[in-house]
Amino acid sequence: MPHILVAGKIHEDGVELLKSAPGITFDLISEVSLASYALLVGSADAILIRTQPMPASVIAEASRLKIVSRHGVGYDAVDVAALNARGIPLAIVGDVNSRAVAEHTLMLMLSAARCTVAHDIASRTGNWHVRNQFQTSELDGKTLLLMGFGRIGSRVAILAQAFGMTVMAHDPYASAQALAAARVEAVTDLDLAFARTDYVSLHAPAGPNGALLGRRELALLKPTAVVVNCARGELIDEAALDEVLRSGRLGAAAIDVLAQEPPHKDHPLLQNPRVTISPHSAGLTRECAARMAVASVRNILDYFAGTINRRLVVNARESAPALGVS
């Protein structure tokens, strides 16, 4: 009888799917943290993991572990090499959150353009005349640079174009044909693109080369430009971002992710009036949370039934024997 460890609260639809599955037992841990689930991994045949780390030390303690299912599409926090060493598959949920994250990206862009947070505070505290400062701007006619043109980036392009924006994209894996079909300008010279753009939005995974927007790249942007990040906190040099915002060398930032989450209460970006922050919630709409919960549970159930979709297994080659493939 497989025993599943659900490491972090998931939507009730996913829990109901577990309850209805014959021959399955499970532990449900509400807290999303390493400490909250680490002591329970020894009895788990499968682990459904949220955003908390899964290091090699935890994987080593999970002696019965046969599959890991990520409640999402990113897996930067999972030690895939440690899973590969034991031939354990790591499954993701596929394209269930691109709509939600793309909408959130546009929401943050609009919030920065229209000073939504500052104007809300001013309105509630008696400063109704803040509107006469003409601080806000429009998306219409502005240029957007997408760093990454996958499922989310390409959907952001469609939404941005609906607002009248010109869209550029830099993605070494996106074909010229795909960009042309989407009416998106392919970027080969990033320095020139940084100097041209009004908004830059990150939609790439974290990589070994560090931040995509470091001190040098931020210095190339217009002083009125806006940086948007709904991807990974590590993609931006946070100290450099805070510095250029406070010095007035950058217009604003709107971010859903930070390098350390949750951030320390004294994190400088939390105190920066030019920053709009959401708590890594871009993909956590009610609808998307239900889709992710069901998909991540379904991957585990399908694995034990021998019917898992191999396209959702990020290390399918390394874990082929466990998937019934020689």
Side-chain angles (χ1 to χ4, degrees):
M1 179 180 292
H3 183 73
I4 301 169
L5 173 58
V6 181
K9 184 177 180 180
I10 63 173
H11 192 277
E12 188 60 29
D13 285 3
V15 177
E16 289 301 317
L17 182 57
L18 281 171
K19 290 178 178 178
S20 66
I24 294 290
T25 60
F26 63 93
D27 287 321
L28 177 58
I29 307 299
S30 294
E31 183 181 336
V32 181
S33 70
L34 173 60
S36 65
Y37 83 95
L39 295 179
L40 299 176
V41 299
S43 61
D45 298 291
I47 298 176
L48 191 159
I49 192 82
R50 287 281 307 274
T51 56
Q52 66 271 55
M54 179 176 272
S57 58
V58 169
I59 294 169
E61 293 296 320
S63 58
R64 292 169 44 178
L65 186 61
K66 299 175 181 65
I67 181 171
V68 175
S69 182
R70 255 287 289 131
H71 185 270
V73 294
Y75 48 93
D76 304 346
V78 178
D79 192 322
V80 181
L83 295 178
N84 291 344
R86 290 173 50 189
I88 298 172
L90 169 62
I92 59 176
V93 298
D95 188 17
V96 301
N97 71 349
S98 60
R99 288 166 283 179
V101 177
E103 284 187 9
H104 197 89
T105 300
L106 264 292
M107 182 277 295
L108 287 177
M109 290 170 61
L110 285 164
S111 183
R114 294 306 181 102
C115 304
T116 303
V117 175
H119 281 200
D120 177 79
I121 294 172
S123 300
R124 295 172 186 271
T125 55
N127 184 14
W128 195 258
H129 297 292
V130 68
R131 69 195 191 99
N132 294 324
Q133 295 178 14
F134 306 118
Q135 298 170 312
T136 63
S137 61
E138 302 169 5
L139 297 187
D140 186 37
K142 302 301 191 300
T143 298
L144 167 65
L145 169 61
L146 298 171
M147 301 287 286
F149 196 72
R151 295 188 184 103
I152 297 171
S154 58
R155 193 167 184 90
V156 170
I158 294 171
L159 298 177
Q161 288 166 345
F163 278 87
M165 301 187 82
T166 298
V167 182
M168 306 183 291
H170 175 74
D171 189 329
Y173 302 104
S175 70
Q177 293 84 354
L179 292 169
R183 297 182 293 114
V184 172
E185 178 185 339
V187 168
T188 54
D189 190 325
L190 266 177
D191 285 4
L192 290 178
F194 285 139
R196 281 179 56 196
T197 197
D198 299 296
Y199 291 79
V200 54
S201 187
L202 306 181
H203 301 285
N209 299 322
L212 291 179
L213 293 183
R215 196 172 301 277
R216 176 185 175 278
E217 292 78 13
L218 291 168
L220 294 172
L221 294 170
K222 299 177 183 179
T224 55
V226 177
V227 168
V228 183
N229 188 8
C230 286
R232 292 289 181 270
E234 295 84 354
L235 296 178
I236 299 179
D237 181 332
E238 294 177 348
L241 177 64
D242 184 63
E243 179 184 316
V244 295
L245 287 168
R246 292 183 188 276
S247 67
R249 289 181 281 125
L250 187 67
I255 55 180
D256 184 56
V257 288
L258 291 165
Q260 180 180 340
E261 296 178 353
H264 191 273
K265 65 180 180 179
D266 295 326
H267 193 297
L269 290 179
L270 297 183
Q271 321 301 326
N272 193 316
R274 292 179 179 264
V275 180
T276 300
I277 298 182
S278 55
H280 203 155
S281 58
L284 295 180
T285 61
R286 290 189 296 270
E287 298 88 347
C288 188
R291 290 193 297 265
M292 285 196 293
V294 169
S296 54
V297 169
R298 176 54 60 193
N299 281 338
I300 293 174
L301 299 181
D302 286 350
Y303 169 81
F304 287 116
T307 59
I308 191 169
N309 183 348
R310 293 183 73 247
R311 290 177 296 179
L312 298 177
V313 179
V314 301
N315 59 343
R317 183 177 61 181
E318 294 81 1
S319 61
L323 300 173
V325 179
S326 60

